[in-house]
Amino acid sequence: KNEVEQSPQNLTAQEGEFITINCSYSVGISALHWLQQHPGGGIVSLFMLSSGKKKHGRLIATINIQEKHSSLHITASHPRDSAVYICAALLAYNNNDMRFGAGTRLTVKP
Amino acid sequence: DTEVTQTPKHLVMGMTNKKSLKCEQHMGHRAMYWYKQKAKKPPELMFVYSYEKLSINESVPSRFSPECPNSSLLNLHLHALQPEDSALYLCASSQPGLAKNIQYFGAGTRLSVL
């Protein structure tokens, strides 16, 4: 079993839909990272959170430390949101070490 | 400036070639990372330098040789690679010692080994 599990693996949505991507982890973490990777490679950090909820524009990330679960929500999705979304756990005992989920490939159709 | 710059963007090399990948950041970060990413897979950690010293080597083959000449630069020297080493190589940097140690990623070098 992977230390960081994401679901779904693939997600197709219509423009305007509300999207949720889930992440569960089994390791002790100091923080959880949500990353976005567009085709071509570059990875952008969306959020790093260790408790509660963070919001940036149409993106919302939540984390429940007791349940070891985090979600990334996209409101009013747009085709430009199409990308791979990766959650990554920053390990509590070594915060130079990050364990990645397999990623969720999101396609938003116009 | 939150930029991590990687060069080259693309590299094609033969199995007998020697080449180097370069990574640079000017954010004052003292931890730098090399990741390897195969298609449709998450990044896999290869090396971590913390304060210019190698702190994590995830059992990477010796045909990959990292070098951290100073706190702003990270190189990955490649020699006698195999076709299965073709991948996207990502560099990242962060400030160690922080509880929320955000890693900033470069755009990657797409490597093809023929």
Side-chain angles (χ1 to χ4, degrees):
Chain A
K1 190 177 190 293
N2 291 338
E3 292 168 311
V4 180
E5 298 266 2
Q6 276 187 247
S7 63
Q9 275 189 320
N10 295 286
L11 183 54
T12 301
Q14 287 298 127
E15 185 173 355
E17 284 183 0
F18 180 83
I19 286 160
T20 296
I21 300 170
N22 294 302
C23 176
S24 297
Y25 54 92
S26 56
V27 290
I29 68 167
S30 60
L32 192 94
H33 222 153
W34 279 102
L35 306 165
Q36 180 193 55
Q37 186 171 32
H38 279 284
I43 291 180
V44 173
S45 173
L46 299 175
F47 296 103
M48 177 166 273
L49 66 168
S50 54
S51 65
K53 177 177 167 177
K54 284 191 176 179
K55 185 174 190 292
H56 182 69
R58 294 180 295 107
L59 301 178
I60 302 165
T62 63
I63 190 166
N64 184 318
I65 297 294
Q66 286 74 29
E67 294 184 5
K68 296 194 169 183
H69 181 269
S70 176
S71 293
L72 176 69
H73 306 285
I74 305 175
T75 60
S77 59
H78 191 276
R80 65 174 174 268
D81 297 326
S82 299
V84 176
Y85 292 84
I86 304 170
C87 81
L90 200 60
L91 297 185
Y93 58 84
N94 180 355
N95 67 4
N96 284 339
D97 199 353
M98 205 151 66
R99 302 297 162 88
F100 292 81
T104 294
R105 187 171 298 274
L106 172 66
T107 303
V108 182
K109 295 186 174 179
Chain B
D1 180 9
T2 58
E3 197 170 297
V4 176
T5 304
Q6 287 188 244
T7 55
K9 287 191 172 15
H10 302 274
L11 179 62
V12 179
M13 60 187 288
M15 289 191 283
T16 58
N17 291 158
K18 284 186 184 181
K19 297 284 185 184
S20 297
L21 309 184
K22 296 187 184 303
C23 175
E24 191 168 0
Q25 56 86 17
H26 296 289
M27 294 178 275
H29 289 168
R30 301 303 297 275
M32 295 185 78
Y33 310 75
W34 279 117
Y35 291 92
K36 174 183 177 180
Q37 188 179 24
K38 301 285 275 185
K40 300 190 179 182
K41 297 286 186 186
E44 297 171 17
L45 184 64
M46 299 174 73
F47 301 105
V48 180
Y49 275 83
S50 185
Y51 297 95
E52 296 87 71
K53 288 190 177 4
L54 186 63
S55 68
I56 300 176
N57 174 348
E58 296 280 317
S59 301
V60 178
S62 60
R63 57 187 185 268
F64 296 91
S65 173
E67 180 198 14
C68 190
N70 61 55
S71 59
S72 300
L73 292 174
L74 184 66
N75 298 320
L76 186 63
H77 302 298
L78 314 172
H79 174 55
L81 293 194
Q82 304 296 310
E84 61 264 27
D85 297 321
S86 299
L88 180 70
Y89 288 84
L90 291 159
C91 172
S93 73
S94 70
Q95 188 61 352
L98 297 179
K100 292 182 186 177
N101 192 3
I102 295 177
Q103 291 188 22
Y104 294 84
F105 285 83
T109 293
R110 193 162 295 283
L111 174 68
S112 297
V113 181
L114 305 179

